[in-house]
Amino acid sequence: DIVVTQSPDSLAVSLGERATINCKSSQSVSHSSCNGNCLAWYQQKPGQPPKMLIYWASTREFGVPDRFVGSGSGTDFTLTISSLQAEDVAVYYCQQFIDSPPRFTFGPGTTVDIK
Amino acid sequence: QVQLQQSGPGLVKPSQTLSLTCVISGDSIFNNNVAWNWIRQSPSRGLEWLGRTYYRSKWYNDYAISVKSRMTINPDTSQNHFSLQLNSVTPADTAVYYCARGKDSGFDSWGQGTLVTVSS
């Protein structure tokens, strides 16, 4: 099974500063069916379901602010929030969806807070 | 804009069956480009994909190994909804359960979530 890990577990960033979250997959998630990489990023606020932010590792979902940037390939990925806003306080998850039979494993999450 | 509305009991006794329904609006359960999924979230297990149903000229199901022997997902084509049944539940099945639409890009639409507690 593909294992997905994230770092750090949590981080606190000043408003307007950059937040960087790392995601690592135990196996490559590169595949042509995913326009490159079968990896997505989600944001979850308290009491709400996760919301997709980024898919195929670097494509923003419709309506997601451009301060959210996904990058990486193969086994190593990054979500960057270029200028943290108060409404970005949340837990962020990465998720792979390449395996067959499917497991669709999520990372453990990274909590982002205001310093 | 697709919307998923979940319903079902929030309390289930140990050894009984957990049943949830997810009503789809703004999309068809027959959509050949998506799958209809159940995912749960708990402090101990995090976000855990449970299974899916999808239509590609006929109906298919996939289940996570951890629940495969206890779980059934059924599409209801007349009501445009799908359901989850998880048998022989234990307190370890206590979690928030979500339905979600899956595409080749990930899970792009989610239900509101249902907290299910397994307790006598």
Side-chain angles (χ1 to χ4, degrees):
Chain A
D1 286 7
I2 297 177
V3 177
V4 178
T5 56
Q6 291 182 231
S7 63
D9 294 335
S10 64
L11 73 160
V13 175
S14 300
L15 288 173
E17 296 300 307
R18 178 186 303 249
T20 301
I21 303 167
N22 301 299
C23 174
K24 189 172 183 67
S25 174
S26 61
Q27 299 175 37
S28 174
V29 298
S30 295
H31 198 276
S32 57
S33 67
C34 301
N35 201 35
N37 293 277
C38 300
L39 187 114
W41 288 96
Y42 301 84
Q43 174 194 65
Q44 187 177 30
K45 297 181 179 180
Q48 296 183 18
K51 171 190 173 184
M52 179 186 281
L53 296 177
I54 303 282
Y55 59 92
W56 297 338
S58 61
T59 302
R60 268 187 300 276
E61 179 76 322
F62 180 77
V64 173
D66 60 7
R67 64 180 180 272
F68 292 93
V69 177
S71 62
S73 183
T75 60
D76 294 279
F77 301 89
T78 300
L79 176 68
T80 301
I81 309 173
S82 60
S83 176
L84 191 76
Q85 305 300 304
E87 60 265 32
D88 301 334
V89 170
V91 181
Y92 293 83
Y93 298 92
C94 58
Q95 179 234 339
Q96 66 81 18
F97 48 97
I98 195 174
D99 47 5
S100 180
R103 300 289 179 267
F104 298 147
T105 44
F106 291 84
T110 295
T111 301
V112 174
D113 210 339
I114 305 293
K115 185 186 291 183
Chain B
Q1 175 80 353
V2 61
Q3 291 189 326
L4 303 176
Q5 181 68 36
Q6 300 176 217
S7 61
L11 181 63
V12 182
K13 288 182 167 48
S15 80
Q16 296 194 343
T17 298
L18 183 163
S19 297
L20 297 173
T21 296
C22 182
V23 177
I24 305 161
S25 57
D27 197 358
S28 169
I29 199 167
F30 286 105
N31 187 336
N32 277 302
N33 297 307
V34 305
W36 305 101
N37 298 264
W38 287 100
I39 297 162
R40 67 183 177 185
Q41 184 174 30
S42 64
S44 59
R45 298 188 180 194
L47 284 160
E48 179 186 15
W49 175 81
L50 298 176
R52 65 180 179 177
T53 189
Y54 58 99
Y55 185 76
R56 302 289 186 269
S57 301
K58 68 176 186 178
W59 288 101
Y60 294 88
N61 290 311
D62 293 307
Y63 300 105
I65 291 176
S66 60
V67 295
K68 188 172 185 176
S69 63
R70 301 190 290 133
M71 184 163 172
T72 304
I73 298 176
N74 283 316
D76 184 327
T77 59
S78 64
Q79 303 288 330
N80 208 45
H81 73 220
F82 61 107
S83 62
L84 159 69
Q85 285 195 313
L86 186 64
N87 302 324
S88 306
V89 296
T90 72
D93 294 310
T94 294
V96 177
Y97 286 75
Y98 295 101
C99 58
R101 186 176 75 170
K103 303 172 77 173
D104 63 356
S105 53
F107 301 116
D108 70 333
S109 296
W110 295 65
Q112 79 275 23
T114 302
L115 173 60
V116 178
T117 301
V118 179
S119 174
S120 54

